[in-house]
Amino acid sequence: MAIRVIVVGAKGKMGSETVKMIHSDDELQLVCGVDSALNGTDVGEVIGLGPIGAPFVNDLERALTDFNPDVMVDFTTPQSVKRHAQLAIHYRVRPVIGTTGLTQADIEELSQLAEQNKMGAIIAPNFAIGAILMMKFAQMAAKYMPEVEIIEMHHDQKLDAPSGTAIKTAEMIGEVREEHRQGHPEEKEELEGARGAFYQGFPIHSVRLPGLVAHQQVIFGSEGQTLTIRHDSINRTSFMPGVNLAIKKVVKLERLVYGLDKLLDE
Amino acid sequence: MAIRVIVVGAKGKMGSETVKMIHSDDELQLVCGVDSALNGTDVGEVIGLGPIGAPFVNDLERALTDFNPDVMVDFTTPQSVKRHAQLAIHYRVRPVIGTTGLTQADIEELSQLAEQNKMGAIIAPNFAIGAILMMKFAQMAAKYMPEVEIIEMHHDQKLDAPSGTAIKTAEMIGEVREEHRQGHPEEKEELEGARGAFYQGFPIHSVRLPGLVAHQQVIFGSEGQTLTIRHDSINRTSFMPGVNLAIKKVVKLERLVYGLDKLLDE
Amino acid sequence: MAIRVIVVGAKGKMGSETVKMIHSDDELQLVCGVDSALNGTDVGEVIGLGPIGAPFVNDLERALTDFNPDVMVDFTTPQSVKRHAQLAIHYRVRPVIGTTGLTQADIEELSQLAEQNKMGAIIAPNFAIGAILMMKFAQMAAKYMPEVEIIEMHHDQKLDAPSGTAIKTAEMIGEVREEHRQGHPEEKEELEGARGAFYQGFPIHSVRLPGLVAHQQVIFGSEGQTLTIRHDSINRTSFMPGVNLAIKKVVKLERLVYGLDKLLDE
Amino acid sequence: MAIRVIVVGAKGKMGSETVKMIHSDDELQLVCGVDSALNGTDVGEVIGLGPIGAPFVNDLERALTDFNPDVMVDFTTPQSVKRHAQLAIHYRVRPVIGTTGLTQADIEELSQLAEQNKMGAIIAPNFAIGAILMMKFAQMAAKYMPEVEIIEMHHDQKLDAPSGTAIKTAEMIGEVREEHRQGHPEEKEELEGARGAFYQGFPIHSVRLPGLVAHQQVIFGSEGQTLTIRHDSINRTSFMPGVNLAIKKVVKLERLVYGLDKLLDE
């Protein structure tokens, strides 16, 4: 039997992608969408799918009680997400939260609530499963091949370098790699900056060019061999396999899991 | 205190690389080399390192008893390797076996012997740690991104296609991926062979060119993103980090482990 | 002084991209757009740029005479493109034609017309300059490094394999490469298709995965080295640098040039 | 009929590779090797090929006169190379010079000598044809796609960064690219060095890892697309196709050509 899902924020960019993803998977069923400004209209008609038999409901509490959902997916705002999650757990509907903005204290509080109620719950700031796997593998590889460099490549309108993903990857590598400065001790930069930015002794390089979107490779070297882990992302649909996974996993959990990477071990 | 190691077959290609690797790691100490035709000569002098203070011994049993080793590394022949391993366990020296040719029954027998004696032992047909990691990551990724293709690339003197590593990788992916034919159902090859060789419905491509050595990439695709895991190998020294790891792990084991990949979880 | 341009078909997909490109380049000036259903309205307003001071004109002849253009860019239909080109040359406005569907005879006829009038004209079936460069470089490299394989990679909804670009590349390589079968003479496919599709003795491999768009690499190998030429394309804007180049080149020509690759030599 | 070749410095590293290359090509014939300390011995026997029917001669002048060669290949020393070239031209044998150390004045002088005698001559500081092609293509591409970054990757024992090849490539690109600073004007390095070393406004990144040998990629980006040119080199044999090309080209020349890249246009 299909997992019954409601999507809060179903009209938004991520929300409507989620509706499309659910609609195309026989193991999932959208029972309603939630949007304060819409009521009764078919969700599919609003987002351009044509009628799909699931209405918009303008009140979350009613969606949670009248439609008998198993899972609530939330892509809304930092202001409302905490209350949404509390309500869902209260009505024994497992929350899958992609909205960012929850504090450490919020997460802790929701985690206790989930545990008391033996309910599954998932909060994930990044649903791009390929990126999550890249970071996880990079951390695993660093234990055995501690000489590493990161090359991240983005479009040339990006302001910050290195990217957030590169820094997150570097931190995860740093947790398992004994800190040491790479390269020959007498290495010399003829042009300053050539060897990149050093994080705990290993370099990160940032490439910015038109025609690129969001790419990263992590290269590990040891005697006679290199291992490269690379992720290429071209658009927002890349988050959907991660949301799909979260919906299917959360119904089997009895506690809150933070971060899609933790989910991969379950 | 350094781990005391003897190398059986220390004069051979893999054996002498192993001696060099041990010599360059402060946590390891070579106590003697074993070669039936040499006795008393310094191992380092024979293999071109200069004197290193460890002699050749022409009798394995004497090496195991008189030199108080913790670990025996064996790169010899299929004919002798089983007896070597039995002897080592008997004298409470942990074997690390890179020699191929042991049967399934041999491995089973040695495994029971190790377990009875609560002794660590490692048998690994492939010590290239980067290749092992590539295969392991590929298997992990296939659970979440089941659309996959393998491209392996070797020098143009190679006779078999796909490579053994590609087939082994495909088998490991096959263990976790639900079998299905990839590509569009009405896909058409204008030139036969373009879509590669299919293994359980996913393609493997073999590139053969002068200037290549041994390379493989495994590419996973899902909506809006791809994840690529790539290994490049240029020579035999690529096996040494794996041998190093095995020596350091085997002293902490109380049973036999087959395959370097299993070791990565310990 | 800026080159004065009119765009025929300015409301269409390629036409409106062309308008945006012209608008963002100080060396070019859009003087009007041509569309049979629009007259007087600002082109920028119609395509979402806001007013840019260039009106739509519903008659090509009037656009060519009243607006004093240097160049006419045409992205319209196979039915009308020939007459458009003839008219442009008649009024001494150089045509840049991206519309496909002209026959060999049409091209010949327009070529003679351009020559008689000592007018520049450009017809290009493919304006993706990166792809054009990839094919040109591949042909140049094949003279010196005749061992080559092509790997093309596209999304998994593509029906034909190999791609048209891969076949065009292979043909261009075939023009300069002495035909011979690559790989070891005793090479053996353990799984059929592993070595790809052979074109004049060299292999082409087609990868199809979700998350890919349109990519191709051409790999040349010779002793101790490989040379790789790779093109990655993610959307239609990739044609604009080629259109830009054509506009700037056509004003210096006194004859018709067919194919953007020919233009690179001018 | 095969081109008759003598190799000066046939016992050295590059010289003996050259002998092997000539021996394996039916269009070339080694007539003798020159080495001041050897006379009469078969060249093949000295370098491990077995007898090949070409003797060592201890006097260059005698080799040039008695053996009727078409081409002289010289891999010797900066001290002697100029005199060798002069002698060769005097006896109407075309020189192919791989020895480095000739001054600009020397090259000028030899160039005039070749011209007066209507003789072909080639001097090339780098014979790696793949690297030469990479640099040439990079320069050609920069005209049409001026947004570019270079990533060069070498083993971690290399002292200088960027590599000489990267700097040479950057200079060649600089000759055709209008200087401008790439990246967003308000781009900010969170970690210093992330954006690499800037040469005339475009970045160069240097990666140093064990397991790498000598690799470089030049990435060009424009709207919606990227073009990548990559060279991977693993050893000294990579120079032989370039030497082979030079021998075959020099017999058709009537002047001196400096640099293998110039040769590609002939």
Side-chain angles (χ1 to χ4, degrees):
Chain A
M1 219 179 58
I3 299 173
R4 298 171 62 87
V5 187
I6 67 173
V7 175
V8 193
K11 215 178 55 182
K13 284 179 184 177
M14 290 295 289
S16 58
E17 287 295 338
T18 303
V19 169
K20 287 174 196 165
M21 177 274 287
I22 291 171
H23 186 60
S24 69
D25 184 338
D26 287 346
E27 298 177 36
L28 305 182
Q29 183 192 349
L30 184 77
V31 293
C32 71
V34 178
D35 185 288
S36 59
L38 290 165
N39 200 44
T41 333
D42 189 283
V43 175
E45 293 214 64
V46 172
I47 66 164
L49 274 182
I52 59 175
F56 265 111
V57 173
N58 64 2
D59 178 71
L60 174 57
E61 205 152 354
R62 190 151 56 83
L64 291 166
T65 50
D66 291 6
F67 289 81
N68 196 26
D70 299 304
V71 176
M72 172 192 84
V73 176
D74 188 293
F75 284 111
T76 58
T77 63
Q79 287 72 43
S80 49
V81 59
K82 187 179 169 187
R83 194 182 61 85
H84 293 180
Q86 289 169 326
L87 267 180
I89 294 176
H90 177 74
Y91 288 108
R92 303 207 61 78
V93 178
R94 295 114 183 138
V96 167
I97 310 287
T99 311
T100 51
L102 285 167
T103 64
Q104 196 56 44
D106 291 339
I107 294 166
E108 192 54 44
E109 193 182 326
L110 290 171
S111 187
Q112 286 175 15
L113 194 60
E115 196 152 0
Q116 287 158 13
N117 290 274
K118 296 207 173 187
M119 289 276 299
I122 291 172
I123 302 174
N126 185 349
F127 273 111
I129 202 164
I132 300 294
L133 288 170
M134 171 184 63
M135 288 187 270
K136 186 182 180 72
F137 295 163
Q139 189 178 50
M140 290 173 70
K143 276 191 260 184
Y144 305 103
M145 300 178 76
E147 306 291 299
V148 56
E149 303 208 10
I150 297 173
I151 304 174
E152 55 92 349
M153 313 204 296
H154 286 82
H155 57 86
D156 65 348
Q157 297 309 299
K158 189 171 176 61
L159 296 180
D160 54 320
S163 70
T165 299
I167 288 172
K168 172 84 172 143
T169 308
E171 287 169 354
M172 287 176 65
I173 290 172
E175 286 169 22
V176 302
R177 175 181 170 275
E178 201 176 326
E179 185 168 347
H180 65 282
R181 175 81 179 196
Q182 288 182 190
H184 195 285
E186 290 169 38
E187 177 176 273
K188 191 172 153 235
E189 281 186 348
E190 311 285 340
L191 284 176
E192 198 186 327
R195 290 288 284 119
F198 280 80
Y199 177 89
Q200 296 194 3
F202 65 92
I204 306 175
H205 310 271
S206 299
V207 174
R208 298 287 175 268
L209 284 171
L212 293 172
V213 185
H215 318 262
Q216 180 172 303
Q217 46 188 316
V218 189
I219 311 176
F220 296 89
S222 76
E223 277 189 80
Q225 70 189 312
T226 54
L227 176 69
T228 304
I229 301 164
R230 175 173 180 141
H231 183 247
D232 296 272
S233 170
I234 51 169
N235 60 42
R236 166 178 309 124
T237 61
S238 66
F239 297 114
M240 287 308 120
V243 178
N244 184 290
L245 175 71
I247 295 171
K248 290 175 182 171
K249 288 276 187 179
V250 78
V251 297
K252 297 177 187 162
L253 292 175
E254 301 200 332
R255 57 184 182 83
L256 183 146
V257 169
Y258 179 75
L260 203 58
D261 55 317
K262 300 301 185 318
L263 212 59
L264 302 182
D265 303 321
E266 305 292 320
Chain B
M1 218 178 60
I3 299 173
R4 297 171 63 88
V5 187
I6 66 173
V7 176
V8 193
K11 216 177 55 181
K13 282 180 185 178
M14 290 296 288
S16 59
E17 287 294 338
T18 303
V19 169
K20 287 174 197 166
M21 177 274 289
I22 292 171
H23 186 59
S24 69
D25 184 339
D26 287 348
E27 298 177 34
L28 306 181
Q29 185 192 348
L30 184 78
V31 293
C32 72
V34 178
D35 186 288
S36 59
L38 290 165
N39 200 43
T41 333
D42 188 284
V43 175
E45 294 214 62
V46 172
I47 67 164
L49 274 183
I52 59 173
F56 265 110
V57 173
N58 63 2
D59 178 70
L60 174 57
E61 206 152 353
R62 190 153 54 84
L64 291 167
T65 50
D66 291 7
F67 288 82
N68 194 29
D70 299 305
V71 176
M72 171 191 86
V73 177
D74 188 292
F75 284 111
T76 59
T77 64
Q79 289 70 44
S80 51
V81 60
K82 187 179 168 188
R83 194 184 57 86
H84 293 180
Q86 290 168 325
L87 265 180
I89 293 174
H90 177 74
Y91 288 110
R92 303 206 61 76
V93 177
R94 296 118 184 135
V96 168
I97 309 288
T99 312
T100 52
L102 286 167
T103 65
Q104 195 57 42
D106 291 339
I107 293 165
E108 193 53 45
E109 192 183 326
L110 290 172
S111 187
Q112 286 174 15
L113 193 61
E115 196 154 359
Q116 287 157 13
N117 290 275
K118 295 208 174 186
M119 287 275 299
I122 291 171
I123 301 175
N126 184 349
F127 273 112
I129 201 165
I132 300 294
L133 288 170
M134 172 184 61
M135 287 187 271
K136 187 182 181 70
F137 294 162
Q139 189 178 49
M140 291 173 70
K143 274 191 261 183
Y144 306 103
M145 300 177 77
E147 305 292 300
V148 58
E149 304 207 10
I150 297 174
I151 304 173
E152 56 91 349
M153 314 203 297
H154 286 81
H155 56 86
D156 64 348
Q157 297 309 299
K158 188 170 178 63
L159 295 181
D160 54 320
S163 69
T165 299
I167 288 171
K168 172 81 172 148
T169 307
E171 288 170 354
M172 287 176 66
I173 289 172
E175 286 169 22
V176 302
R177 174 182 170 277
E178 200 176 328
E179 185 167 347
H180 65 283
R181 175 80 178 196
Q182 290 182 189
H184 195 284
E186 291 168 38
E187 178 177 270
K188 191 173 153 236
E189 281 187 346
E190 310 285 341
L191 286 177
E192 200 186 325
R195 290 288 286 120
F198 280 80
Y199 178 90
Q200 296 194 3
F202 65 93
I204 307 176
H205 310 271
S206 299
V207 175
R208 299 286 176 267
L209 285 170
L212 293 172
V213 186
H215 318 262
Q216 181 173 300
Q217 47 189 315
V218 189
I219 311 178
F220 297 89
S222 77
E223 277 189 78
Q225 69 190 314
T226 55
L227 176 69
T228 305
I229 301 164
R230 176 173 179 140
H231 184 247
D232 295 272
S233 170
I234 50 171
N235 60 42
R236 167 179 307 125
T237 60
S238 66
F239 297 114
M240 287 308 121
V243 178
N244 183 290
L245 175 71
I247 295 172
K248 291 176 180 171
K249 287 275 185 180
V250 78
V251 297
K252 298 177 184 162
L253 292 175
E254 301 201 333
R255 57 185 182 83
L256 183 145
V257 169
Y258 179 75
L260 203 58
D261 54 317
K262 300 301 185 318
L263 212 58
L264 302 182
D265 303 321
E266 305 292 316
Chain C
M1 218 178 62
I3 299 172
R4 296 172 64 86
V5 187
I6 66 172
V7 176
V8 194
K11 216 178 55 184
K13 283 180 185 177
M14 289 296 287
S16 59
E17 287 294 340
T18 304
V19 169
K20 286 174 198 167
M21 178 273 288
I22 291 171
H23 186 59
S24 69
D25 184 339
D26 288 347
E27 298 176 36
L28 306 181
Q29 185 192 348
L30 184 78
V31 292
C32 71
V34 179
D35 185 288
S36 59
L38 290 165
N39 199 45
T41 334
D42 189 284
V43 176
E45 295 213 62
V46 173
I47 66 164
L49 273 182
I52 60 173
F56 265 111
V57 173
N58 64 2
D59 178 70
L60 174 58
E61 205 151 354
R62 190 150 57 82
L64 291 167
T65 50
D66 292 6
F67 288 83
N68 196 28
D70 300 304
V71 176
M72 173 192 83
V73 176
D74 189 294
F75 284 110
T76 58
T77 63
Q79 288 72 44
S80 50
V81 60
K82 187 180 170 187
R83 193 181 61 84
H84 293 180
Q86 289 169 325
L87 265 181
I89 294 175
H90 176 73
Y91 288 110
R92 304 206 61 77
V93 178
R94 296 118 184 134
V96 169
I97 309 288
T99 312
T100 52
L102 287 166
T103 65
Q104 195 57 43
D106 292 338
I107 294 166
E108 193 52 47
E109 193 182 326
L110 290 171
S111 187
Q112 285 175 14
L113 193 62
E115 196 153 0
Q116 286 158 13
N117 290 274
K118 296 208 172 186
M119 288 276 299
I122 291 170
I123 301 174
N126 184 348
F127 274 112
I129 202 164
I132 301 295
L133 289 170
M134 172 184 61
M135 287 187 270
K136 187 182 179 70
F137 294 163
Q139 190 178 49
M140 292 173 69
K143 276 192 260 184
Y144 306 103
M145 300 177 77
E147 305 291 300
V148 57
E149 304 207 10
I150 297 174
I151 304 173
E152 55 92 348
M153 312 203 297
H154 286 81
H155 57 88
D156 64 349
Q157 296 309 299
K158 189 169 176 63
L159 294 181
D160 54 319
S163 69
T165 298
I167 287 171
K168 172 84 173 145
T169 307
E171 288 170 354
M172 288 177 65
I173 289 171
E175 287 170 21
V176 302
R177 175 180 170 277
E178 201 176 327
E179 186 167 346
H180 65 282
R181 175 81 178 197
Q182 289 181 190
H184 195 284
E186 291 169 39
E187 177 177 272
K188 192 172 154 236
E189 281 186 347
E190 310 286 341
L191 284 177
E192 199 186 325
R195 288 288 285 119
F198 280 80
Y199 177 89
Q200 296 194 4
F202 66 92
I204 307 177
H205 310 271
S206 299
V207 175
R208 299 287 175 267
L209 284 171
L212 294 171
V213 186
H215 318 262
Q216 181 173 300
Q217 47 188 317
V218 190
I219 311 177
F220 297 90
S222 77
E223 278 188 79
Q225 69 190 313
T226 55
L227 176 69
T228 305
I229 301 165
R230 175 173 181 141
H231 184 246
D232 295 273
S233 170
I234 50 169
N235 60 42
R236 166 178 309 123
T237 61
S238 67
F239 297 114
M240 287 307 120
V243 177
N244 184 291
L245 176 71
I247 295 173
K248 290 175 181 171
K249 288 275 187 180
V250 78
V251 297
K252 298 177 186 162
L253 292 174
E254 301 199 333
R255 58 185 183 82
L256 183 146
V257 169
Y258 180 76
L260 203 59
D261 55 317
K262 300 301 184 318
L263 212 60
L264 302 182
D265 303 321
E266 304 291 319
Chain D
M1 220 179 57
I3 299 172
R4 298 171 62 85
V5 188
I6 65 172
V7 176
V8 194
K11 216 178 54 182
K13 284 180 184 177
M14 289 294 289
S16 58
E17 286 294 338
T18 303
V19 168
K20 287 174 197 168
M21 178 273 290
I22 292 170
H23 186 60
S24 69
D25 184 339
D26 287 347
E27 298 177 35
L28 306 182
Q29 184 193 349
L30 185 77
V31 293
C32 72
V34 179
D35 185 289
S36 59
L38 290 166
N39 201 42
T41 334
D42 188 284
V43 175
E45 294 215 63
V46 172
I47 66 164
L49 274 182
I52 60 174
F56 265 111
V57 174
N58 63 3
D59 178 71
L60 174 58
E61 206 152 352
R62 189 149 58 82
L64 290 167
T65 51
D66 291 7
F67 288 82
N68 195 28
D70 300 304
V71 176
M72 171 192 85
V73 177
D74 188 292
F75 284 111
T76 57
T77 64
Q79 288 71 44
S80 50
V81 60
K82 188 181 169 187
R83 194 182 61 83
H84 293 180
Q86 288 168 327
L87 265 180
I89 294 175
H90 177 73
Y91 286 110
R92 302 207 62 76
V93 177
R94 295 114 183 137
V96 168
I97 309 287
T99 312
T100 52
L102 286 166
T103 65
Q104 194 56 42
D106 291 340
I107 294 166
E108 193 52 46
E109 194 182 325
L110 290 170
S111 186
Q112 285 175 16
L113 194 61
E115 196 153 1
Q116 286 158 14
N117 290 276
K118 294 207 174 189
M119 289 276 299
I122 290 172
I123 301 174
N126 184 348
F127 274 112
I129 203 165
I132 301 294
L133 289 170
M134 172 184 62
M135 287 187 271
K136 187 183 180 70
F137 294 162
Q139 190 178 49
M140 290 173 70
K143 274 192 261 183
Y144 306 103
M145 299 176 79
E147 307 291 300
V148 56
E149 303 207 10
I150 297 174
I151 304 173
E152 55 91 349
M153 312 203 297
H154 286 82
H155 57 87
D156 64 347
Q157 297 308 300
K158 188 169 178 62
L159 295 180
D160 55 319
S163 69
T165 298
I167 287 171
K168 173 83 172 144
T169 307
E171 287 169 356
M172 287 176 66
I173 289 172
E175 286 170 22
V176 303
R177 174 181 170 278
E178 200 175 327
E179 185 167 347
H180 64 283
R181 175 80 179 197
Q182 289 182 189
H184 195 285
E186 291 169 38
E187 178 176 270
K188 193 176 153 231
E189 281 186 347
E190 311 285 340
L191 285 177
E192 200 186 325
R195 289 289 285 119
F198 281 80
Y199 177 90
Q200 297 194 4
F202 66 92
I204 307 175
H205 309 271
S206 299
V207 174
R208 299 287 175 267
L209 284 170
L212 293 171
V213 186
H215 319 262
Q216 180 173 301
Q217 48 187 314
V218 189
I219 311 176
F220 297 89
S222 77
E223 278 188 78
Q225 69 190 313
T226 56
L227 176 70
T228 305
I229 302 164
R230 176 172 179 141
H231 184 247
D232 295 273
S233 171
I234 50 170
N235 61 41
R236 164 178 311 123
T237 61
S238 67
F239 297 114
M240 287 307 121
V243 178
N244 184 291
L245 175 72
I247 295 172
K248 290 175 181 172
K249 288 276 184 179
V250 78
V251 298
K252 298 178 184 163
L253 292 175
E254 300 200 333
R255 58 186 181 80
L256 183 145
V257 169
Y258 178 76
L260 202 59
D261 54 319
K262 300 301 186 315
L263 212 58
L264 302 183
D265 304 321
E266 304 292 317

